[in-house]
Structure formats: structure tokens, C-alpha cells
Amino acid sequence: MHGSRVQRSQDGATTTAPDGATPGASDRGLSNQLRGMSYAEGAAMLAPPPGTHAPVQLQVDAKLRSVGLKGRLAGSSYARLYDLYGKYQKEKSPEGAQALLAQLDTAIDAWLAGHDGSDKEDAKRLPGVQNLSQQVKAALAGSPSTTETTAPTETTTAPTQTPTTPETTQTAPTPEPTPTETTETSGPPAPTDAPPAPVDPILARLADPTQVLTVNELKTLNATQLLSYLDTRDKGTVEALRNNNKFITHAESLGAPTFAQVTVRILLRTPDSVVNRGASRDEAIRIMTSQLRDPEICKRLLRNSAWVVIVPKNKLMTELPEFAQWAGTYTFDGRPWDITRGMGSFTAGNATAIAEENLLGEGVADGIGRRGWTSQAAQDTALANGNTELNEAGKAGPKSDDPNTRVMNPGVYCSGYSTTNHEFFHTIHGLGLSRQDQRLIQQAYDAKKSTPPETEWADGPRQNQTGSFSENYASSTVYEYFAQTGCAFQGTNRGTDPYTGRPRNNGRSWVTANEPELAGLLARVCSDSELQNVNPRDARTAPPPTTAPPAPTATTTTTTTTTTATAPSTTPGAAPPIVGDSVAFIGQR
Amino acid sequence: MAAADVSATARTYLVFRGDVCALEIAGRPGTLRSMAAPPPGFQPPTHPFVDATSHNPATEHATREVLLASRSFEDFLTRLVEAGFDLASGHTDRWDVEEAPRRIVRAGQAVGAVWPQAGQFSSLWWQPAPDEAVYPHALVTSYDRALTDTLHGMVAATRSLDALEAALEGLDLKLV
């Protein structure tokens, strides 16, 4: 345990204190204490004793995820990687060099396996380590040469301090190195008794996230390196590439799958305020890439200034600058724009909104809501009588003491229903498809609207549960028709239609059989197979309660599903459900 | 246009701001549909004199404010024009409209709108059947009841947009 001790409070929460340090030390102290351990070792150290109640385990997991602790652990592996590289360079005997090369290979693999993208420092190191990995593996596979590898540290990503031992870090916390520091401070003495490793200047600059490569330089990178570049550069650098025809032409030449990956990275914005940036971004890339099989769609989206922004789960959509213009305003059907959790874009330059909680299968943070009128008539009356007060945007909004108003909360969509998939289909519809394809969708929609109400759409028939006529979501507009049918094609249309209360249809086979015109178009738009595990709320839920779900009551509080959810847990059933999918629209939090 | 939505008695229009289609509306009791994703359990509101579907999130608040101030379908149409929106016959394929219209103005007052493409002549008070009054050089909507027949006659008598513009100028009507 490297001389540390683990303390547990009465409620089971784990705190650690290095020997000689103040109990209950900060995360920085804990970080230093964990330095040098593998992730597994760190987890073991923090683990509660056998038989500990499950919530304690949850807190341990959360602790490991917090403030980059996992990254710090991975960072310690990075120090070992650096150390091995130094030894390898100094090794004189071919046998010893080969053995160190193998160790280095293992260490690199371990580091890459522990890198989950959630740590900013790790993310900066990633390109350099990936580059080194390629060179080491090539050396192991061919004629091993001690001069052909490029140190991950000779550019800017290496730790600048000598790797510290756990003992020293317990009493003298060491500042985390940053890439820029490395160019100004001394690292481990560079080996001078071995031939210097030739450094590809472009790869060296690739490894430095502050460096902006020219298009000609970018053209020398392979697909992995190019994506790595886009993943590690600042927003402005990446977004500027959309208007560079030379770059776009090159990216397209790398093949449709790579071009889709490049396109998504240019379109996608992940604000710093997103709670789990790495996982959210990865999932958004996975889903959006699956909708960009056609390079022509990619090019139109880039040309039409399409943007996609992840809305943090703890923020209103209108708190982001891309959607701030809608703060305090209302949708055409009378909802505050603030609380909506998704928006497609049909206008060049307007952003598409997708929600972090839906990407990760989580709930919206508590406290997210806006007051609104309970009905159209209530709003009419209030506006006519002047019974309003200025809202956040300085517009006539509902008065807090008006009984015909309520705090409205964002809904939570059921497991397996992807709003990212849905909203990005809107954006593809408006800004990515050709006029010919847009007309094809319109014609298919117009034709389908003339069929009897019992005809099945992606969201079921145009009948409510009593058999009376009711549009379903997919039949409500040509846009929802394409987006919902697209979701069904992708296998992400699970759940119940919000308008009719009837089950949705889902799956590629259903679309092929029932929407043949759109199936052909969607086959050109989407990847070969359906998406799996989108919005994985079920995977985070305890078994549903045995009590029957509440019967639907008033229209504003109708419940639609019975799935329940808990906080992420490795022990299903251990914690009580804390939120349901059936969050009512108005003021039910 | 959603053909099944259009009854024989309901006039339908596409509402534009510039070259952006903001709304598709029909003059009959119906439903108000937003482009915002509905949360679970949400039911779209009904409306006594208009059935409307938003086509653009950016204009929803503005068009809703116009609707809230309106007392009839005709009043809604007039107020939309006053608020800077332009209306085209609902028999138009919205995917065909790629340019912003030019307004027909007399003494600073908008009396109509012209799109430089094939389309139907209509007014805020009258809409022909889908295949009637369709002209190859201009899609025109009259915003002035008294001028409707005159404008229609000019569109029918000309064969190009330039010729139409010249004819309009003869009546002190300008395209802006």
C-alpha cells in the first residue's frame, strides 16, 4: 500500500491519507498517493471491505472517476513507459534492447488500455503514445533497431519531472506536468550514449496539441493520425478546416468511413461544461458516424455550416451560447425553449442540439426547469390580461403565483431511444440531402398520409389507445416522418409514441417491409447494421418495481413507460429507483 | 405540401422569412406543431382556426406571438405579412423554393410578393385549386384585396419576370 492508509467514514465513504499527511487530504493528495499504482491496484486500495453495502462501492467508483484520478493512475503508467524508453535507449546489448522493447510494448498497451479519454493530460499524450506504439510494434515485428523509435517525450508530451515514487509524493506533491512546460524545463537527462532517435518533425508536431499543421502536413498523416489530430486540437483549429477545400478533398480521398469520422469531428462541439466529455463525445461520434455513409451528405453538411452541440445534462439548452437566442422564448406549441433537450437544424449556420444524458443513458440533473403556462388558453388569458412578469430573457413570461403555470422540466426518453440519432436525421434532412432526396421523402410522406389511420408508421398507427384518430409523432410532419423512420431503421426507436400512447415500431426489417421508399434512401445514408446500446438506461436500472404503473390521467401528466432507473451501479437491484422514464412534462419533478 | 391535410375549404400557405420556410398553415381548426422534440407524455395543443406546422425553430417564437395576437385566420395572415413574413400558396412544393421573394410595394406598403420561379397565383383571401393559376415565370401572392385581380391579370399576361416587373412599374408598383 506504499505506506498509505485508507480511512472510511461511518457512512462508508472512502477517504485516504498518506502517512504523515492530514487525514481527509485533498484529491491532489490522493492523486499523488496513487501515483505509481496500476488502475487495478488503485481500485483495490480504495475498495471497501468485503460485504460492504453496494452504495459504498458506488462512491468508490465515483471517487476513481472524479477529478481525473483515473487519469492520474494512467499517468503513473506513463511515467513507467518513459522510464522504460530511457533504459531501452541506454541498453547496449541487442538482447537487452529487445527485451526492453517488449516491456515497452506491454507498457504502452497497458497505458492505452487505461486511457478512456476522460483526462485532459492523457488526451494530450495520446497521439505521441500511439505513434510510439506503432514504431515499437514495427521494430518488434521486423529488425529491431534501437534507433528507430521516437520517444514520446522528446516533443512536448513527456512528463518533465523525474517520475516520483509514491513515498516522495506523499509528502511533497508534485505539480502535474503540462505539455508546454516540457519545452522549458528539464526532463530526465537525454541519453547521449546512444544514437539519437530521429524524430519525424510532422509527427512531433502532431504530438503537440498546441501545434497547428498545414494541410500539406495533414496529408502526410494516416487516418488514425489524422483523427488523433482532430481530437486533440482546439475547436477553432478543427472548425476552420470545414472551409478548406484542399483538406476536405484529401479527407474524402481517405475513403467514406474515414471521411465520415473527419466530418463528425468538424461538426461536433463538446462544451467544457459537459459533465462527462470523453464518453459523451465518443458516443456522439459513434452515432453520428453511423449516419454518414454517403460522402456527398458529409460535404453538404460541411458546406451548409451544420453544427452539432452536446448539451450538458446539468444545463438548460439555452444556457449554451449556440442556443442563447432562444432563452425565455417559446416553441410554436407553447413550451419554453429552455427546457427542450434536442433540436435539429434546417438552416445553414444554426446548431443542432443533442443531450448528454441521452447519449449516456442517464437522467437530467435536478433543478433543470422553467416555468410555463399549463395550456394554450391559460397563456392567451395571461397575455390578454397582462398577468405576466418579465422572464429571464426580458420577455412577458408566466407569473410564479399564477395557478395556471407550472415549472416545466425536460423529459427523459426511454432506454434505447436516441435523440442524437433523431436530431441528426433532421439536420441531414435539411442540410445534407439533395433536393431530389428531399422530394422523395415529401412524396412518400404525402402518399402515406392518404392511407387509413390504422396503417402502421414508425410510431404505430394514427390512432390512440381508444381507437380514435390521432396523429402519431412520425406522422405529424414530414420531418418527424424521416427522423423517426430513420431511427427505426437504425434500431433506436424503442418505446411508446408520445401522442398515441401506442408502441413504436423498430428495426431495419420493419422499415424495409413498411417504408420501402425510405428504406432505400436510408440504406444510402446509414451504416450497414443497426446501432446497438444507444441511451442504455436499462443497463443502469434496477429491476422494475412489482407494482403496476400508474394509469394515465390528465393529458399534461400522462405517463408513457414504466421503466425505472437508478444511478449507475455495478450491482443491479442494490439501490432504489430514483427516477422513472415516465417523467411527466409539466412540473412533476 | 401534405396533401391529405388540405380540405376543399381550407386555404393553405407556406410562410417564409427570406428564403427560410417558417410555417405551413391551413385555415381550419387543428394542431400547433413545433420542431422541438416532445417529451414523453406531451400532447400538442389544438387551435380554433389554424392548423400549423413549424418548419424552422428560429422563427417559432415570433410566429407564435403573431398567432397569439390574431383573432381569425385572415387576421393571422395579415399580421404575418406586417411582421415581415411572406406567404406562398400552400400548393407550392417547399423544396422548390430556394430564393427569397421580392415584395411588391406601393407607397411603402407591401401589396404582394413574387418568387422568381414557377408557381401559383393566390391571395390572402383566395386560393385556386392545386393545378389552376400556375405560371411558369412567377409565384405570386397578393396581399391587397383591391389589387388582386389586377395583379393576377398582369401575371397571366406576361411571360417573364422582367416583363412582369415592367408591367408593375406601369402602375407605380415596385419590386423591392
Side-chain angles (χ1 to χ4, degrees):
Chain A
M1 284 294 165
H2 305 282
S4 65
R5 62 177 184 269
V6 178
Q7 299 181 342
R8 293 183 179 84
S9 62
Q10 286 187 335
D11 64 358
T14 305
T15 60
T16 61
D19 289 344
T22 306
S26 67
D27 286 329
R28 168 68 73 183
L30 178 58
S31 172
N32 288 327
Q33 186 185 6
L34 293 167
R35 185 185 297 276
M37 298 184 197
S38 69
Y39 182 73
E41 288 172 339
M45 186 189 85
L46 291 171
T52 303
H53 196 258
V56 177
Q57 181 64 53
L58 288 177
Q59 293 180 46
V60 171
D61 288 346
K63 193 71 177 173
L64 280 168
R65 292 191 191 101
S66 70
V67 294
L69 282 183
K70 188 173 178 180
R72 299 284 83 74
L73 290 166
S76 65
S77 299
Y78 183 76
R80 170 171 164 71
L81 186 156
Y82 181 77
D83 183 51
L84 277 172
Y85 180 77
K87 289 178 181 174
Y88 162 72
Q89 280 206 312
K90 290 176 182 174
E91 180 59 44
K92 303 291 186 188
S93 73
E95 297 79 11
Q98 186 73 2
L100 285 167
L101 206 58
Q103 288 182 46
L104 186 57
D105 185 46
T106 304
I108 291 171
D109 287 345
W111 188 90
L112 289 172
H115 173 82
D116 66 355
S118 62
D119 184 88
K120 199 173 282 185
E121 292 302 317
D122 285 352
K124 292 174 181 172
R125 291 165 172 159
L126 182 60
V129 177
Q130 286 174 328
N131 179 37
L132 180 65
S133 176
Q134 288 179 358
Q135 296 185 52
V136 168
K137 289 186 188 307
L140 285 169
S143 57
S145 166
T146 59
T147 65
E148 289 182 356
T149 55
T150 303
T153 60
E154 293 192 5
T155 55
T156 57
T157 60
T160 56
Q161 289 79 15
T162 302
T164 51
T165 63
E167 286 73 17
T168 58
T169 59
Q170 287 167 21
T171 53
T174 306
E176 288 296 317
T178 64
T180 52
E181 288 170 338
T182 61
T183 60
E184 299 166 359
T185 58
S186 59
T192 56
D193 50 355
V199 180
D200 181 327
I202 295 176
L203 292 182
R205 296 180 64 217
L206 167 66
D208 179 354
T210 67
Q211 294 288 313
V212 178
L213 302 189
T214 66
V215 174
N216 283 338
E217 289 172 329
L218 292 174
K219 288 170 76 171
T220 68
L221 304 180
N222 64 31
T224 302
Q225 291 165 334
L226 179 59
L227 297 180
S228 172
Y229 175 82
L230 298 174
D231 283 336
T232 52
R233 263 49 185 182
D234 65 85
K235 185 175 69 175
T237 299
V238 175
E239 292 181 353
L241 291 170
R242 89 162 53 223
N243 297 319
N244 191 316
N245 291 334
K246 198 168 152 189
F247 173 77
I248 297 302
T249 302
H250 167 67
E252 187 181 7
S253 74
L254 298 174
T258 298
F259 190 37
Q261 293 274 354
V262 169
T263 300
V264 169
R265 281 163 172 78
I266 294 175
L267 300 185
L268 184 62
R269 290 179 182 175
T270 311
D272 289 340
S273 51
V274 171
V275 177
N276 193 336
R277 295 185 78 239
S280 299
R281 179 180 159 84
D282 288 349
E283 180 65 355
I285 289 173
R286 181 177 79 100
I287 293 172
M288 292 166 61
T289 302
S290 77
Q291 298 171 261
L292 292 176
R293 182 188 193 125
D294 184 352
E296 293 302 316
I297 291 176
C298 294
K299 285 190 284 188
R300 287 193 202 95
L301 290 174
L302 292 167
R303 206 164 46 232
N304 288 327
S305 301
W307 307 102
V308 179
V309 183
I310 300 175
V311 179
K313 66 180 180 182
N314 58 359
K315 286 192 178 298
L316 296 172
M317 184 178 77
T318 52
E319 290 182 78
L320 299 180
E322 290 87 351
F323 307 102
Q325 62 181 304
W326 285 301
T329 68
Y330 291 84
T331 63
F332 192 64
D333 57 15
R335 291 174 280 156
W337 268 116
D338 306 89
I339 64 163
T340 58
R341 304 302 291 175
M343 178 191 290
S345 173
F346 287 81
T347 305
N350 281 359
T352 299
I354 59 178
E356 178 183 14
E357 70 274 8
N358 191 267
L359 287 165
L360 302 182
E362 299 176 349
V364 181
D366 284 339
I368 302 294
R370 276 286 187 269
R371 183 168 292 276
W373 285 280
T374 54
S375 69
Q376 177 72 51
Q379 182 170 4
D380 284 345
T381 302
L383 292 176
N385 297 336
N387 188 29
T388 61
E389 60 189 22
L390 294 181
N391 64 15
E392 297 78 2
K395 299 179 187 300
K399 291 184 74 171
S400 55
D401 61 354
D402 183 343
N404 294 317
T405 68
R406 280 178 168 174
V407 174
M408 299 181 174
N409 301 304
V412 180
Y413 297 88
C414 78
S415 187
Y417 181 80
S418 171
T419 56
T420 298
N421 211 202
H422 177 96
E423 303 302 346
F424 197 46
F425 270 126
H426 280 324
T427 304
I428 288 172
H429 188 176
L431 300 177
L433 293 181
S434 66
R435 290 279 184 245
Q436 185 180 1
D437 285 337
Q438 288 169 337
R439 287 194 189 92
L440 182 153
I441 298 167
Q442 186 74 56
Q443 289 162 3
Y445 176 71
D446 290 346
K448 187 127 189 164
K449 289 280 277 187
S450 64
T451 61
E454 56 268 22
T455 301
E456 287 285 330
W457 297 61
D459 289 337
R462 290 188 289 167
Q463 291 174 319
N464 61 24
Q465 289 172 304
T466 65
S468 299
F469 180 85
S470 169
E471 297 287 356
N472 57 56
Y473 188 31
S475 72
S476 62
T477 71
V478 67
Y479 311 113
E480 307 308 346
Y481 172 61
F482 178 66
Q484 287 295 92
T485 308
C487 283
F489 191 78
Q490 293 277 72
T492 67
N493 196 38
R494 283 181 57 189
T496 306
D497 181 69
Y499 295 172
T500 67
R502 288 176 176 262
R504 291 171 170 145
N505 290 305
N506 197 23
R508 199 158 287 199
S509 59
W510 183 89
V511 175
T512 303
N514 293 275
E515 301 281 0
E517 294 85 1
L518 287 202
L521 169 59
L522 289 165
R524 285 192 276 121
V525 171
C526 302
S527 56
D528 279 334
S529 56
E530 295 176 5
L531 281 167
Q532 304 296 322
N533 303 319
V534 297
N535 184 17
R537 288 178 61 76
D538 278 350
R540 299 174 180 276
T541 61
T546 54
T547 53
T553 53
T555 55
T556 53
T557 57
T558 298
T559 56
T560 55
T561 65
T562 59
T563 310
T564 56
T566 67
S569 171
T570 55
T571 53
I578 58 173
V579 63
D581 274 350
S582 52
V583 173
F585 172 49
I586 294 174
Q588 294 301 300
R589 187 175 295 280
Chain B
M1 176 201 73
D5 281 346
V6 181
S7 73
T9 57
R11 299 197 305 284
T12 64
Y13 297 91
L14 297 179
V15 181
F16 287 87
R17 171 154 277 172
D19 61 352
V20 175
C21 184
L23 284 177
E24 179 179 347
I25 57 177
R28 57 179 164 75
T31 304
L32 307 182
R33 303 176 198 87
S34 166
M35 290 204 67
F42 176 73
Q43 292 290 323
T46 58
H47 196 274
F49 60 74
V50 67
D51 183 273
T53 299
S54 169
H55 287 239
N56 180 32
T59 50
E60 289 198 14
H61 183 80
T63 50
R64 176 174 173 78
E65 286 197 322
V66 174
L67 179 60
L68 290 174
S70 302
R71 292 294 165 258
S72 68
F73 186 60
E74 284 71 22
D75 187 29
F76 182 40
L77 301 181
T78 302
R79 288 176 183 270
L80 282 169
V81 170
E82 290 172 355
F85 293 93
D86 285 298
L87 282 74
S89 166
H91 298 145
T92 305
D93 182 340
R94 97 155 188 87
W95 302 106
D96 282 338
V97 179
E98 296 184 359
E99 292 184 42
R102 296 169 70 188
R103 282 192 157 188
I104 308 171
V105 175
R106 184 167 70 179
Q109 187 79 17
V111 298
V114 179
W115 280 262
Q117 62 178 77
Q120 186 173 57
F121 181 91
S122 63
S123 78
L124 300 188
W125 304 270
W126 170 73
Q127 183 176 44
D131 55 351
E132 294 177 358
V134 175
Y135 301 97
H137 58 297
L139 163 61
V140 180
T141 305
S142 168
Y143 300 157
D144 186 312
R145 190 190 290 265
L147 276 175
T148 295
D149 288 343
T150 303
L151 289 175
H152 191 188
M154 288 180 174
V155 176
T158 54
R159 291 291 177 269
S160 71
L161 198 58
D162 288 342
L164 175 61
E165 186 168 7
L168 291 170
E169 284 177 357
L171 287 179
D172 272 347
L173 298 169
K174 290 186 177 177
L175 281 182
V176 297

